[in-house]
Amino acid sequence: MKRDGTNHRMTAFAMGAWAVLAVAPLAPAAAVAPTGRAAPVAPPRAAPKDQIFLREAPEKPLEVEVLKETATVVEFKLGPNVQRRYNNEVLRVVFGDTPPAWREALRLLDDGKSEEALAKIEAAAGSKVRASWFEPHSLYAKALAQHALARGGKAGAAEQAEAAYLSYRQKFKDHKFYDESAVRLAELYVEQKKADKAEALVDPSARAKLRGKWPGEASFVMANVFRLKGNRLRALADFEQLLKNTNKKENPELVERTRFEIGISLIENGKAAEAVKHFQSCLAETPKGPQKPPIWAQVGLGEAFLASGQSKAALLAFVEVSVLGFENRSAQARAWYRAGECWEKLGKPDEAKKRFAHCAANYPDTEWGRLSKAKG
């Protein structure tokens, strides 16, 4: 889930239901809004640094000035065009759930800066920010950060991530990330090839207790558990069933990942030619326009061509990934490594070495970067 990486003061004010627990003017007798309720706040629309928008008047940027900021409260001085609405010059925003240090840690995680995120979390835990409402966020963010480091191959990070996930799940069973933590921990176990531990978290009885989008995410992990156990046909069947059960509009990201895994499962089951058709169909379904390109379908097409012995076609597919997938480091790393393999199969070892060297230098924190480095 992508978090806003903009200036955290403005982001804090604009996070709406996710961050703002209560909004009230400082004047005792003043009404918060004509309705008596806090006015809803919309995300900023590319406003300058010192401007925000209110949903009631989105066409009018409201200049504000930050007067005071603590771990739980931010006070803004309002511009003249909004003072009448709140009957006051100052708006007080109380954060009862998402402290600034936690938001900053999430931003760093989204930027792939796991080490910095972990440092932010640990520093906040020992500062004035430490409070009962901050502990679950801090612990869960630490688990996510260590998990990211484990994926990058850092020694001991997987064990620390597991310990943090388990501690969070033991202490905060009613917290809002509890269902998500089951899926994330199961993913960690799959990555560590601990199939039985993963299955206990995402089997049908465990999935029945999950809410929101997490039953679908758990089904995705369960299919990978079957793959890990060597039951590739069952994994393929489960991915196909998950695709049928997932609403594309509600969860397009899960649909994209599931389609990718269906194609990879076809390859694993010796059906590379069918996988080529599958990924070509995925790409053909994408409407033309400025929307996000289906990067994993493009990666999958390269994998299918490579598995079917069509090295030149595979190379072209991976080159396209390197052009379109500039925002997706995982896809980029995989494409550069696979491009090196394509050049090897085409009898051009020097070209292959260039691709491996690029991958190792630019994506050292990924599986593909480590594989490239091993190629020497």
Side-chain angles (χ1 to χ4, degrees):
M1 48 185 176
K2 185 69 177 172
R3 287 97 177 174
D4 198 321
T6 56
N7 180 280
H8 82 274
R9 291 186 174 182
M10 292 300 102
T11 302
F13 185 77
M15 288 185 73
W18 159 249
V20 180
L21 181 66
V23 180
L26 294 181
V32 174
T35 61
R37 298 192 302 271
V41 180
R45 303 184 182 181
K49 181 178 179 181
D50 292 325
Q51 293 184 356
I52 58 172
F53 288 92
L54 291 187
R55 192 169 295 162
E56 296 178 20
E59 73 285 354
K60 295 181 179 180
L62 309 174
E63 294 189 6
V64 299
E65 178 184 349
V66 177
L67 298 179
K68 175 183 177 182
E69 181 176 12
T70 69
T72 57
V73 176
V74 179
E75 292 179 3
F76 297 94
K77 183 177 180 181
L78 304 178
N81 57 339
V82 78
Q83 287 180 19
R84 294 188 302 275
R85 186 185 307 279
Y86 292 95
N87 196 27
N88 203 49
E89 293 184 2
V90 177
L91 186 69
R92 181 182 178 92
V93 182
V94 180
F95 301 97
D97 191 41
T98 311
W102 163 248
R103 293 194 301 276
E104 178 66 10
L106 295 184
R107 186 187 66 76
L108 290 168
L109 281 174
D110 281 336
D111 291 343
K113 299 176 181 178
S114 303
E115 293 276 14
E116 292 180 37
L118 194 57
K120 173 69 68 175
I121 295 160
E122 291 174 344
S127 70
K128 296 178 181 179
V129 178
R130 189 169 191 172
S132 59
W133 48 261
F134 179 66
E135 186 180 359
H137 293 88
S138 174
L139 187 56
Y140 189 60
K142 183 175 183 178
L144 293 174
Q146 290 289 4
H147 194 167
L149 292 172
R151 285 172 169 158
K154 183 176 181 180
E159 291 75 13
Q160 292 187 50
E162 180 184 9
Y165 279 132
L166 290 173
S167 179
Y168 169 84
R169 291 181 58 76
Q170 181 180 8
K171 293 180 179 180
F172 307 109
K173 294 184 178 181
D174 295 325
H175 197 248
K176 63 182 179 181
F177 298 128
Y178 187 76
D179 287 356
E180 178 183 344
S181 69
V183 175
R184 299 301 177 220
L185 179 55
E187 288 176 343
L188 177 68
Y189 284 143
V190 168
E191 291 158 11
Q192 298 298 309
K193 304 190 185 305
K194 298 177 180 179
D196 292 338
K197 286 188 173 183
E199 184 173 2
L201 290 163
V202 294
D203 66 12
S205 61
R207 290 201 299 272
K209 301 175 184 178
L210 301 178
R211 298 155 293 179
K213 71 174 186 178
W214 299 109
E217 294 287 347
S219 296
F220 183 90
V221 178
M222 189 67 225
N224 276 313
V225 170
F226 284 120
R227 172 186 278 161
L228 184 59
K229 288 186 171 184
N231 193 343
R232 293 175 176 174
L233 285 173
R234 175 61 187 274
L236 175 59
D238 276 20
F239 282 128
E240 290 176 335
Q241 186 61 47
L242 176 59
L243 184 61
K244 292 179 182 179
N245 295 341
T246 304
N247 187 307
K248 184 177 180 180
K249 291 183 178 179
E250 292 179 359
N251 201 342
E253 192 268 343
L254 178 60
V255 168
E256 182 182 12
R257 285 189 288 124
T258 302
R259 283 179 166 178
F260 175 76
E261 294 299 342
I262 287 173
I264 297 301
S265 293
L266 287 170
I267 294 171
E268 292 173 343
N269 283 286
K271 301 178 180 180
E274 190 173 337
V276 169
K277 294 180 181 179
H278 167 76
F279 286 120
Q280 287 175 332
S281 176
C282 292
L283 290 167
E285 289 180 17
T286 303
K288 295 181 179 179
Q291 71 284 332
K292 176 184 175 183
I295 202 64
W296 284 109
Q298 190 68 38
V299 173
L301 183 61
E303 294 282 2
F305 277 137
L306 189 60
S308 62
Q310 301 179 64
S311 300
K312 288 185 178 180
L315 180 60
L316 291 175
F318 290 127
V319 168
E320 190 163 350
V321 172
S322 69
V323 174
L324 296 177
F326 58 90
E327 291 184 349
N328 191 320
R329 296 187 76 254
S330 180
Q332 284 274 323
R334 186 171 187 148
W336 278 96
Y337 179 80
R338 292 302 196 206
E341 289 190 324
C342 289
W343 280 114
E344 283 185 330
K345 291 181 180 295
L346 292 169
K348 300 289 184 66
D350 290 340
E351 294 295 330
K353 287 181 181 179
K354 292 178 184 177
R355 275 66 185 178
F356 293 136
H358 178 92
C359 187
N362 291 278
Y363 308 101
D365 57 331
T366 68
E367 172 190 1
W368 308 102
R370 295 194 299 276
L371 289 172
S372 294
K373 186 176 181 180
K375 288 278 190 177

